[in-house]
Amino acid sequence: MHPISQFRSAAYLLTLAAILSSFTWRNSQAQISDEPSAGDANVDVVEIAPEKVSVEGVVDDSKIAKRLKDIFESTGWFKDVDVTSKNGFVTIEGLADSNAHSDWASDIATRTTDVIGIRNNLEVDSTVKFADSMVVVGKSLDKQYRELLVRIPFLIAGLILLCITWLVSKLIHFGLDRLLNSRKGLRSSLKDLIKQLSSITVWLLGFLLATVVVFPGMTPAKALTVLGLGSVAIGFAFKDIFENFFAGVLILWRYPIEKGDFVRCNDLFGKVEDITIRNTMLRKTDGELVVVPNAHLFKSNVEILTNRPKRRVRITCGVGYGENVDRSREVIRDAVASCTTVSAPKSVEVFADEFADSSVNFEVAWWTGATPLEIRKSRDEVIAAIKAALDQEEIEIPFPYRTLTFSETLKMKGVLEQSKNSSGAPETANGYAD
């Protein structure tokens, strides 16, 4: 199996694990993001629920409001900010430049001494600031770049592991090839199945190890757990891929289809060039390559034309009704048996088949090679030999003709010359002849 095909086949399962892992992470993040925040318009009041409410020595409301307002104005994140406090209940109004800073203001207020509850009426500035956005983008890119620099050693180690995986896959493939070739009883398709499955297993293990190295938080146990939990969802999402995969395994394991066979499946006809886990490559007789999903072959009736080295070929040959049937049969049989492309001359069969419109038809059957080219060559030689033999024996091979019978004598109108009248009948006075 080609290394790229092995790489792709092993990558399918790893891709499924990554997709499901990403899906699980997003769900958890969505649950977190669904929690109401202080800056949410639908949640106006945040309850602090202090353990105790002070009665004596309570900080004055004006001091609380002034302290919070000074803090908010010093950050530069708020505009027209106004803070009021009444009996420890704080109301914040103004304009915040982001939701995160609005939530931050609520958090600062809740941790202020003698604040019992807050009402966050801050509005978030929706004005698009291109310069600020570019600063954020730059910081994000810088962070990603630094993380990439940190992970470069891990990426190099992962690539080294993939190279080792490729080398191990080649060695195992070479060893299995020598071992399986020494076993004469195994079909070639079964040998291919064992080698392909072993290569996929090696690549799968190599990918798991490389993933653990590149992403230290991921372990093989976690990856297998994700695959186990998501097997049902993966089965529905990638039904066709798994269907073709298992169909390919069954075809290579049990079906008598080998490389080099000529097969016919519905309207497809061609030579099998390769059988992989997912697809079968058919080369049509006109040179076109057809990639057939294995599930299509598994579900349809497949004719294997070269399952045996010889095939029976049949043609129809007709002789005139005036010929001797037994003699014609012997001439045809001897002509076919003399052909070099006929495998077993003694197995040539000639049977009178039907009374046709213009001839007595014979069914002629013989054995020859199984490939389409061998059949065409043999049919060409046999037809030429039969024609020559019947001509030599002066046996008629009739072409279609029709005999018309009339109940009355027909008269032909025209001028007939006496010298050209083959019957010798004299011409009548009125130009009609009997």
Side-chain angles (χ1 to χ4, degrees):
M1 186 177 182
H2 198 275
I4 296 178
S5 300
Q6 299 172 0
F7 179 88
R8 289 177 178 173
S9 301
Y12 286 135
L13 296 178
L14 292 176
T15 304
L16 301 179
I19 292 174
L20 186 58
S21 177
S22 175
F23 177 76
T24 305
W25 180 84
R26 290 178 181 177
N27 282 344
S28 63
Q29 295 297 318
Q31 293 177 357
I32 295 174
S33 62
D34 288 340
E35 298 178 358
S37 62
D40 196 340
N42 297 327
V43 182
D44 193 26
V45 178
V46 178
E47 296 292 340
I48 297 177
E51 294 181 359
K52 294 181 179 180
V53 178
S54 301
V55 176
E56 297 180 355
V58 179
V59 178
D60 186 73
D61 284 330
S62 61
K63 293 182 178 181
I64 294 175
K66 183 177 183 304
R67 176 59 173 164
L68 290 175
K69 184 176 180 179
D70 292 342
I71 293 174
F72 297 154
E73 288 179 347
S74 65
T75 61
W77 298 337
F78 306 93
K79 292 181 180 179
D80 302 327
V81 64
D82 184 38
V83 181
T84 60
S85 177
K86 184 177 182 180
N87 296 324
F89 193 87
V90 175
T91 301
I92 307 173
E93 296 180 347
L95 184 66
D97 59 1
S98 68
N99 287 322
H101 291 158
S102 176
D103 295 339
W104 178 84
S106 298
D107 182 64
I108 290 296
T110 58
R111 291 189 285 114
T112 303
T113 304
D114 290 334
V115 173
I116 298 176
I118 66 169
R119 177 182 290 110
N120 190 341
N121 292 336
L122 287 172
E123 297 181 1
V124 178
D125 188 5
S126 59
T127 304
V128 178
K129 298 179 180 179
F130 183 78
D132 295 341
S133 300
M134 292 304 298
V135 172
V136 174
V137 171
K139 291 181 179 179
S140 177
L141 292 177
D142 182 69
K143 181 180 178 181
Q144 297 297 328
Y145 173 71
R146 293 179 182 276
E147 290 183 357
L148 178 62
L149 291 179
V150 172
R151 289 192 176 274
I152 282 179
F154 299 100
L155 293 174
I156 294 175
L159 290 175
I160 293 175
L161 276 177
L162 291 179
C163 293
I164 295 175
T165 301
W166 175 80
L167 180 60
V168 172
S169 176
K170 282 294 183 181
L171 292 176
I172 292 178
H173 187 276
F174 177 75
L176 285 176
D177 191 46
R178 296 191 61 180
L179 177 63
L180 296 175
N181 287 336
S182 63
R183 304 291 297 274
K184 302 298 181 182
L186 292 178
R187 295 184 295 110
S188 61
S189 60
L190 184 57
K191 297 177 184 178
D192 290 339
L193 174 62
I194 295 174
K195 289 186 286 187
Q196 292 182 30
L197 289 179
S198 64
S199 297
I200 292 175
T201 303
V202 172
W203 277 104
L204 182 60
L205 294 176
F207 269 111
L208 287 175
L209 292 176
T211 303
V212 171
V213 171
V214 176
F215 305 100
M218 179 66 68
T219 62
K222 290 181 179 179
L224 293 176
T225 301
V226 170
L227 287 175
L229 293 175
S231 59
V232 176
I234 291 172
F236 280 105
F238 299 91
K239 179 177 69 68
D240 294 338
I241 293 177
F242 281 99
E243 185 179 25
N244 290 323
F245 178 84
F246 289 112
V249 171
L250 293 176
I251 288 174
L252 290 169
W253 180 27
R254 299 291 298 174
Y255 272 38
I257 301 178
E258 306 289 347
K259 293 180 182 179
D261 282 338
F262 282 87
V263 299
R264 179 182 288 111
C265 179
N266 298 332
D267 57 344
L268 295 175
F269 171 71
K271 180 180 180 180
V272 178
E273 286 200 347
D274 192 16
I275 304 176
T276 65
I277 291 295
R278 293 187 62 248
N279 301 313
T280 297
M281 313 298 178
L282 291 184
R283 180 72 65 178
K284 299 173 69 174
T285 54
D286 56 5
E288 296 179 358
L289 180 64
V290 182
V291 181
V292 185
N294 288 330
H296 179 72
L297 293 178
F298 188 74
K299 295 178 180 179
S300 304
N301 295 329
V302 181
E303 300 178 32
I304 307 174
L305 306 181
T306 52
N307 181 254
R308 292 185 177 181
K310 304 296 178 182
R311 283 177 59 193
R312 184 183 290 277
V313 183
R314 293 178 176 85
I315 64 172
T316 299
C317 175
V319 300
Y321 275 99
E323 306 296 339
N324 185 285
V325 174
D326 295 332
R327 178 167 171 266
S328 300
R329 183 189 302 111
E330 293 300 324
V331 171
I332 295 173
R333 180 182 290 111
D334 293 341
V336 176
S338 65
C339 296
T340 58
T341 56
V342 176
S343 299
K346 294 183 179 180
S347 66
V348 176
E349 297 177 349
V350 182
F351 298 101
D353 186 48
E354 63 175 344
F355 293 102
D357 293 337
S358 304
S359 62
V360 177
N361 288 342
F362 290 91
E363 180 188 10
V364 184
W366 72 95
W367 290 88
T368 186
T371 66
L373 180 60
E374 291 174 325
I375 291 175
R376 290 198 297 269
K377 287 182 177 180
S378 181
R379 184 182 286 113
D380 175 77
E381 183 184 15
V382 167
I383 291 176
I386 293 176
K387 175 67 168 57
L390 292 178
D391 289 345
Q392 184 178 0
E393 296 295 328
E394 298 182 352
I395 297 176
E396 179 189 8
I397 303 177
F399 55 86
Y401 58 86
R402 181 174 296 175
T403 301
L404 301 178
T405 304
F406 300 93
S407 59
E408 298 179 358
T409 302
L410 298 181
K411 293 183 178 182
M412 182 175 62
K413 183 178 181 180
V415 180
L416 300 177
E417 297 180 1
Q418 184 76 27
S419 60
K420 296 182 179 180
N421 191 345
S422 58
S423 63
E427 184 180 4
T428 59
N430 57 4
Y432 288 85
D434 292 334

